[in-house]
Amino acid sequence: MALTREERETFLAEPHIAALAVDAGAGRAPLTVPIWYQYAPGGEVWIMTGLDSRKNRLISKAGRFSLMVDRLEPTTRYVSVEGPVVETVTATEEHLREISARYLPSEKVDGYVAFATANHGEQVVVRMRPERWVSSDLGSV
């Protein structure tokens, strides 16, 4: 059964690990990788990735990407969202801290931020405007 707009936006706002997919060019399957993301109902989705990463190069070329999140309990539910890139900006420590706090226990955030700052190189935030949604709740199959 398809989710209502409110249900799918609420579900996407939960801290799931997403599968990001982006066109990888002629003769290639889409690049599909797990990624952290941020979303608030009614807003834009954003991700962080390396400035020089393959993800960023492909997203820049394609101008759009999709994310899919799912869960298995208490019911089998998923939401997929696809849309155009509306902004790419240099990531700040505030972005890194926000997305880290979404996924990590509070006592781990400072350590992860320090590690990522020292080891991940220059990062960008890529914002996507949700344009197409696919969602379903299959119940407890």
Side-chain angles (χ1 to χ4, degrees):
M1 171 182 275
L3 303 177
T4 66
R5 179 181 178 161
E6 182 179 330
E7 288 171 328
R8 71 185 187 208
E9 288 185 356
T10 298
F11 185 74
L12 189 62
E14 295 171 1
H16 303 282
I17 303 296
L20 178 144
V22 62
D23 183 6
R28 298 286 306 260
L31 172 69
T32 306
V33 294
I35 196 163
W36 289 354
Y37 69 95
Q38 181 61 290
Y39 176 73
E44 296 169 348
V45 176
W46 63 267
I47 61 160
M48 279 183 65
T49 190
L51 174 65
D52 297 322
S53 69
R54 182 170 181 231
K55 283 189 300 281
N56 191 45
R57 289 192 311 272
L58 291 173
I59 291 168
S60 294
K61 183 176 179 183
R64 61 190 314 111
F65 64 94
S66 63
L67 295 178
M68 193 282 299
V69 298
D70 65 344
R71 71 165 193 219
L72 299 177
E73 294 180 359
T75 61
T76 302
R77 177 177 278 200
Y78 73 89
V79 169
S80 178
V81 62
E82 180 248 332
V85 172
V86 295
E87 179 181 53
T88 301
V89 297
T90 301
T92 65
E93 185 176 317
E94 184 178 311
H95 290 118
L96 179 57
R97 190 165 293 284
E98 179 180 339
I99 206 159
S100 300
R102 176 173 165 89
Y103 290 96
L104 299 174
S106 58
E107 67 274 9
K108 302 277 187 179
V109 171
D110 288 340
Y112 179 77
V113 168
F115 170 82
T117 300
N119 294 287
H120 289 172
E122 190 171 356
Q123 301 281 302
V124 291
V125 168
V126 182
R127 294 185 183 278
M128 179 254 284
R129 183 182 67 249
E131 188 175 75
R132 294 185 180 91
W133 295 78
V134 178
S135 65
S136 184
D137 192 320
L138 304 174
S140 52
V141 256

